[in-house]
Amino acid sequence: MIHIENLVKRYGELVALDHLNLDIQEGEIFGLLGPNGSGKTTAINCLLALLKYDKGTIQVFGEQMQPDSYHLKRQIGVVPQNVAVFEQMTVYENIDYFCGLYVPDKKTRRKLVEEAIAFTGLEEHQKMLPRKLSGGLLRRLNIACGIAHQPRLIIMDEPTVAVDPQSRNKILEGIVELNRRGSTIIYTSHYMEEVEQICTRIMIMDRGRCIASGTAEELKRMIKTGETIVIEGVALADGQKADIEKLPHVFQVNYSEEKVLTVKCTSAQHNVVRILNYLQEQNVAFGRVLSELPTLNDVFLEITGKELRD
Amino acid sequence: MLRLYISNVKLVIRKREELFWGLLFPLILATLFYVTFGSGIDLEKMKAVPAALVSQGNEVFETFLENMEEGFLAVTEMDEDEALQALKAGEIDGIFYSGEEPSLTVAASQMNESILEMLLSSYVEHEALLRDIGKEHPLQLPAAIAQMADYREMTENVTVSGRSMETNVGYFYGLIGMACLFGAFMGMTAAEEMRADQSALALRRSVSPVHRLAIVLSGMLAVFTVQFISVCILLLYLRILGLSFGEKWYMLLPVCALGSMTGVAYGIFIGSMRLRNGLKIGILISSSLLMSFFAGMMFVNMKDIIEHHIPILNRINPASLIADAFYSVSIYDNPGRYGANLLLLAAITCLLAAVSFFRLRRERYESL
């Protein structure tokens, strides 16, 4: 459905997109994950033919994407990062206005607008002006304006920024439902949990480059960390840290002044048992024990050496 | 396109802040002007200013007064005592002495007296020329005086039937010029809502399948419609206040239409620049007010002063052109001058609109 090849975008000396390659298939929820400034939005804007780029090709629905590719644009819905609605129009009027840019027929449009309102749960607010809406409702209106015409491809650029957890969950559920109804979705975010929760395939970006891509599981398998074990309230004596490092599958041990032991292991069974057995053998008391499977942040951290969330 | 246009008109009408500058602010100023200056003089009812002439042998000056008499000046020849008594009794507003150096005595400093003073200074300004003509071609003197009057009409906006009207009416004409230019506020916002590198709204519109030309034109037309209606409301309000626009008032509608277009185009021109919003508003307010000031909205003689010293400024200042077109229709009845003003306004509008359109038609940006 989307094919991007060798895309390069420079802002003077700064390389915003560095030979980016990307393929998205119909029916996917494709997540673009990366810290702020990693090039996610720039890639989207190039894809939408809003930004000039220095090199590369972009194809949407098998055709070269140009600013005047109106027949392609007709099949795309965009939910921009910043809320883009008219302050002077009610919720209904806003959705109707933007839907009207795609669907001229009034009767068809009315049906679509009503469906979008129901889909985003804005029924009770349709006569309200945007300034009367909470942050979460405003984000939902922003989404409704982008999806009302029921596009084949929906591009959502960080749609949950500054949204409360309840609204966020509602939005995420809605995105999955849109996909279930047949839309392909490109979803950019720097929230790894939500990308992991809804995306069928993920590309992790940093400094304009793709550093890894695949399903969440595939990405996690790419890294050494299979499990992170955190044990609180441990009083280790000299040499015991070194002993733990020598245990099978353990490749990194940190012991903090707060007496928290963090052990990183490769993927294997009974990692926790092995460590706890060692501590018991050594008569070392310990408190709470946590075992965490790797996250996308671990993937990012291991590949780039820095946290996904700065 | 029609649906977009209608939606845009609805949108512009709901933007209260811009409607304040485009409609309410000029109405408030008009009310203040009315309270301060009154509504001007009804041209049809204007009476001739009575004055006495004490003949002291300056034939050229006497011929000058004779030629100026028609319509607005009623000069009676008297001896000095008689004239002074008439002035004291309030029967006349001033006494002209036609000596080697003509002079004027007035009792007070009212409007009529100002007219007489202006007439005298007008003569003094052209005295040498008139004397030469009087000496060499005495028969041509009345024609030369008449030509002088025409010349002044064309270049100085000081007509032989003029100062009293300019004193009051000029403020209102300047105000109409300002009202047209204030359409720039709506134009600026419309432009910002068309450039994807300036607002998320514009970005959303830019990725829609609507042709760029349709987006830009429907936006421009919508703003122009609202602005033109606002100026027409102002005109109607001024008429209700008692300001006369003369018999050919309908000729003012094209002026308002073109003036509104200029204002909107100016706003779109500024709005399409990549500057901070606050800076753009500052530029619009200061430049619109400055142009209105040059057109005589705050100091009615300003336009004349500029005409004397930097006439080109009056040719490129839209507010002056609008005010002057009003003068041409309502006071001078000068179709040539009216047409010239409209042409200049049209040229300025086309230039601004073309540059703005060139900027707005862009669909791909270097950065967002």
Side-chain angles (χ1 to χ4, degrees), chain B residues 122-155:
Chain B
S122 174
Y123 170 79
V124 171
E125 202 176 309
H126 297 86
E127 189 182 13
L129 178 70
L130 293 175
R131 275 183 181 282
D132 286 348
I133 295 170
K135 264 185 203 168
E136 289 170 26
H137 310 284
L139 291 175
Q140 297 297 317
L141 190 58
I145 291 167
Q147 257 187 358
M148 187 190 98
D150 281 348
Y151 163 76
R152 291 184 66 79
E153 273 185 14
M154 288 300 290
T155 59

Side-chain angles (χ1 to χ4, degrees), chain B residues 1-68:
Chain B
M1 172 91 175
L2 182 67
R3 198 195 72 80
L4 256 181
Y5 166 74
I6 293 167
S7 301
N8 285 336
V9 168
K10 281 186 196 166
L11 202 63
V12 177
I13 290 170
R14 291 188 197 177
K15 289 178 180 169
R16 288 183 191 169
E17 200 176 309
E18 283 153 31
L19 219 54
F20 170 80
W21 291 110
L23 176 64
L24 213 59
F25 184 66
L27 289 178
I28 292 168
L29 267 188
T31 311
L32 289 175
F33 280 11
Y34 174 71
V35 171
T36 313
F37 309 119
S39 61
I41 291 171
D42 192 332
L43 303 183
E44 289 87 23
K45 291 178 185 167
M46 188 185 158
K47 286 181 182 172
V49 180
L53 169 66
V54 177
S55 179
Q56 292 180 344
N58 185 338
E59 281 179 22
V60 176
F61 181 61
E62 286 171 15
T63 312
F64 172 79
L65 284 182
E66 213 172 287
N67 276 275
M68 291 291 160

Side-chain angles (χ1 to χ4, degrees), chain A residues 22-188:
Chain A
L22 172 67
D23 275 295
I24 299 172
Q25 308 305 318
E26 185 128 33
E28 283 189 312
I29 302 181
F30 188 87
L32 273 177
L33 180 67
N36 291 331
S38 59
K40 305 183 297 290
T41 303
T42 304
I44 295 298
N45 288 333
C46 287
L47 172 66
L48 291 168
L50 284 170
L51 264 183
K52 289 179 185 168
Y53 47 88
D54 299 282
K55 202 177 152 189
T57 53
I58 297 174
Q59 285 190 341
V60 178
F61 308 129
E63 288 182 48
Q64 197 78 21
M65 186 66 175
Q66 297 290 343
D68 58 353
S69 302
Y70 298 120
H71 63 294
L72 300 180
K73 286 182 173 181
R74 194 171 291 284
Q75 304 173 66
I76 302 173
V78 180
V79 179
Q81 191 169 353
N82 297 318
V83 174
V85 294
F86 291 105
E87 288 295 323
Q88 300 78 12
M89 287 181 173
T90 64
V91 165
Y92 185 95
E93 288 169 334
N94 262 298
I95 302 171
D96 184 58
Y97 178 89
F98 289 109
C99 187
L101 298 176
Y102 297 81
V103 184
D105 180 62
K106 205 172 177 178
K107 212 171 170 182
T108 317
R109 199 167 68 238
R110 187 179 298 149
K111 187 174 156 281
L112 290 171
V113 171
E114 279 164 11
E115 276 181 28
I117 286 173
F119 182 78
T120 44
L122 290 167
E123 296 98 326
E124 289 172 19
H125 309 91
Q126 52 182 309
K127 287 183 181 167
M128 285 168 80
L129 290 173
R131 65 169 173 272
K132 303 267 181 191
L133 300 177
S134 67
L137 289 173
L138 206 53
R139 283 278 164 187
R140 282 198 243 165
L141 171 61
N142 198 35
I143 293 172
C145 292
I147 61 153
H149 58 289
Q150 298 189 348
R152 196 171 149 201
L153 171 67
I154 301 171
I155 298 172
M156 295 182 153
D157 194 4
E158 310 231 17
T160 57
V161 168
V163 169
D164 60 278
Q166 202 182 348
S167 290
R168 180 176 292 182
N169 284 337
K170 189 135 182 115
I171 290 170
L172 295 179
E173 283 167 19
I175 292 167
V176 174
E177 178 59 21
L178 282 171
N179 178 249
R180 202 184 56 75
R181 290 182 185 185
S183 296
T184 302
I185 291 162
I186 301 179
Y187 186 87
T188 82

Side-chain angles (χ1 to χ4, degrees), chain A residues 49-50 52 67-68 70 73, chain B residues 191 194-197 206 210-217 220 268 272 353-365:
Chain A
L50 284 170
K52 289 179 185 168
D68 58 353
Y70 298 120
K73 286 182 173 181
Chain B
M194 290 176 206
R195 280 195 66 144
D197 58 346
S206 298
V210 180
H211 198 284
R212 190 79 188 141
L213 190 66
I215 290 179
V216 174
L217 282 183
M220 279 180 165
I268 292 176
S272 61
V355 176
S356 310
F357 184 75
F358 180 74
R359 285 191 192 138
L360 292 173
R361 69 180 285 279
R362 186 184 303 173
E363 292 173 298
R364 257 185 182 159
Y365 300 87

Side-chain angles (χ1 to χ4, degrees), chain B residues 43-44 173 235 239 243-256 325-336 338 342:
Chain B
L43 303 183
E44 289 87 23
Y173 291 172
L235 245 57
R239 187 70 197 95
L243 191 79
S244 170
F245 294 115
E247 286 170 5
K248 295 179 180 171
W249 60 269
Y250 52 86
M251 286 176 75
L252 298 175
L253 295 179
V255 183
C256 294
F326 268 74
Y327 277 114
S328 307
V329 172
S330 305
I331 297 176
Y332 304 137
D333 192 18
N334 187 335
Y338 168 79
L342 286 194

Side-chain angles (χ1 to χ4, degrees), chain B residues 105-311:
Chain B
T105 302
V106 291
S109 188
Q110 303 283 326
M111 192 184 299
N112 282 355
E113 285 75 3
S114 300
I115 295 171
L116 299 179
E117 280 169 3
M118 190 214 67
L119 265 177
L120 181 63
S121 61
S122 174
Y123 170 79
V124 171
E125 202 176 309
H126 297 86
E127 189 182 13
L129 178 70
L130 293 175
R131 275 183 181 282
D132 286 348
I133 295 170
K135 264 185 203 168
E136 289 170 26
H137 310 284
L139 291 175
Q140 297 297 317
L141 190 58
I145 291 167
Q147 257 187 358
M148 187 190 98
D150 281 348
Y151 163 76
R152 291 184 66 79
E153 273 185 14
M154 288 300 290
T155 59
E156 295 182 25
N157 302 327
V158 181
T159 72
V160 287
S161 56
R163 173 117 186 240
S164 59
M165 279 159 279
E166 281 193 40
T167 306
N168 289 342
V169 179
Y171 289 111
F172 292 101
Y173 291 172
L175 173 69
I176 293 164
M178 184 207 75
C180 289
L181 290 184
F182 269 18
F185 291 98
M186 295 184 205
M188 186 193 81
T189 310
E192 286 180 342
E193 285 173 1
M194 290 176 206
R195 280 195 66 144
D197 58 346
Q198 295 200 2
S199 73
L201 265 172
L203 187 143
R204 188 160 234 165
R205 280 172 161 179
S206 298
V207 296
S208 74
V210 180
H211 198 284
R212 190 79 188 141
L213 190 66
I215 290 179
V216 174
L217 282 183
S218 63
M220 279 180 165
L221 278 175
V223 173
F224 162 71
T225 306
V226 177
Q227 175 60 20
F228 178 56
I229 292 170
S230 301
V231 176
C232 288
I233 291 172
L234 174 67
L235 245 57
L236 191 67
Y237 182 65
L238 290 174
R239 187 70 197 95
I240 291 166
L241 289 183
L243 191 79
S244 170
F245 294 115
E247 286 170 5
K248 295 179 180 171
W249 60 269
Y250 52 86
M251 286 176 75
L252 298 175
L253 295 179
V255 183
C256 294
L258 209 49
S260 301
M261 236 179 248
T262 313
V264 170
Y266 180 54
I268 292 176
F269 175 77
I270 299 289
S272 61
M273 290 177 174
R274 277 197 87 170
L275 299 171
R276 275 187 303 110
N277 182 271
L279 183 62
K280 286 188 212 172
I281 291 174
I283 292 172
L284 283 191
I285 293 179
S286 52
S287 59
S288 305
L289 287 177
L290 191 68
M291 286 191 263
S292 310
F293 170 67
F294 287 156
M297 191 185 80
M298 298 149 203
F299 172 52
V300 85
N301 290 334
M302 198 63 210
K303 194 160 147 287
D304 296 337
I305 293 168
I306 289 171
E307 191 64 50
H308 270 296
H309 297 99
I310 340 165

